[in-house]
Amino acid sequence: LFMFKVDWDLTHDHFEAIQPAVDAASAGDTINIAAGTYVEQVEVTKTLTLKGVGSSTVIQSPDNLTKKFTTSKDNYPIVFVHDTTDVTIQDLVVDGAGKGNANYRFIGVGCYNGGGTVDKVEIKDVRDTPWSGAQHGVALYAYNDDGTPRSLTVTDCNIHDFQKNGMALNGADLTVDVSGTTVAGYGPTDVTA
């Protein structure tokens, strides 16, 4: 499993995980992520593009998430974009793998005072195992509260099997444009609405 930083010579700077590539990148860079399953929490704090190769590029939740942002309580995203704008996440899968039990306030993609584009991304299984009535499990959560105007564009995504909400898009000075996106709930259950 390798990923390549597109703006650098492809004969060096190979990474076997996404976070080291993000850390090494400069603002404005594109990181091409090869096919594979990357079990990690990814934190982005600068303008970057994370580009996979479709459904064969999977960012999967580890057992325990450590990075968080706080609204009324702590929130734990698998892909965590914050304090930046113009981050693009494209052509990949974010898989919660049903690991919400150890990660209360579980989130697939979280944008906290962050903006950009989520394009052709499948976000799935942001839930407990087994399915429960716990009030968490949001596939895509955007929250803006620092007074800086930001925008988020969500296009052609597939969001499914989340426990609480497909998308929660909140906050002053946040403009959101969602198009071509399918959000499918779990269906009737006897533990959640």
Side-chain angles (χ1 to χ4, degrees), residues 8 11 13 16 22 29-30 36 38 40 46 56 63 75 83 89 105-106 109 129 142 153 155 167 177 179 184 186 192:
W8 291 355
T11 61
D13 297 313
E16 293 186 17
V22 169
D29 284 349
T30 294
Y38 302 85
E40 61 182 300
K46 54 192 154 190
S56 60
D63 290 338
N75 302 278
D83 301 303
I89 303 166
R105 306 266 305 196
F106 195 30
V109 175
T129 300
T153 301
T155 54
M167 291 187 281
D177 181 10
S179 64
Y186 189 75
T192 55

Side-chain angles (χ1 to χ4, degrees), residues 43-102:
E43 179 182 31
V44 181
T45 60
K46 54 192 154 190
T47 299
L48 289 176
T49 295
L50 301 179
K51 185 173 170 96
V53 293
S55 62
S56 60
T57 301
V58 180
I59 301 173
Q60 186 178 85
S61 179
D63 290 338
N64 293 295
L65 299 167
T66 58
K67 305 287 185 186
K68 64 184 179 183
F69 65 93
T70 304
T71 55
S72 60
K73 295 187 179 178
D74 293 340
N75 302 278
Y76 295 89
I78 301 162
V79 177
F80 182 21
V81 175
H82 64 95
D83 301 303
T84 189
T85 58
D86 297 325
V87 172
T88 297
I89 303 166
Q90 187 174 45
D91 292 321
L92 53 82
V93 176
V94 176
D95 182 3
K99 295 185 178 181
N101 304 69

Side-chain angles (χ1 to χ4, degrees), residues 95-155:
D95 182 3
K99 295 185 178 181
N101 304 69
N103 301 294
Y104 187 68
R105 306 266 305 196
F106 195 30
I107 295 169
V109 175
C111 295
Y112 179 66
N113 294 329
T117 301
V118 180
D119 179 46
K120 297 180 195 75
V121 174
E122 178 182 5
I123 307 172
K124 66 179 188 172
D125 294 327
V126 182
R127 59 178 174 78
D128 289 352
T129 300
W131 191 273
S132 80
Q135 293 295 299
H136 75 124
V138 178
L140 175 61
Y141 189 15
Y143 195 90
N144 203 50
D145 70 355
D146 67 355
T148 300
R150 290 189 177 82
S151 63
L152 178 65
T153 301
V154 181
T155 54

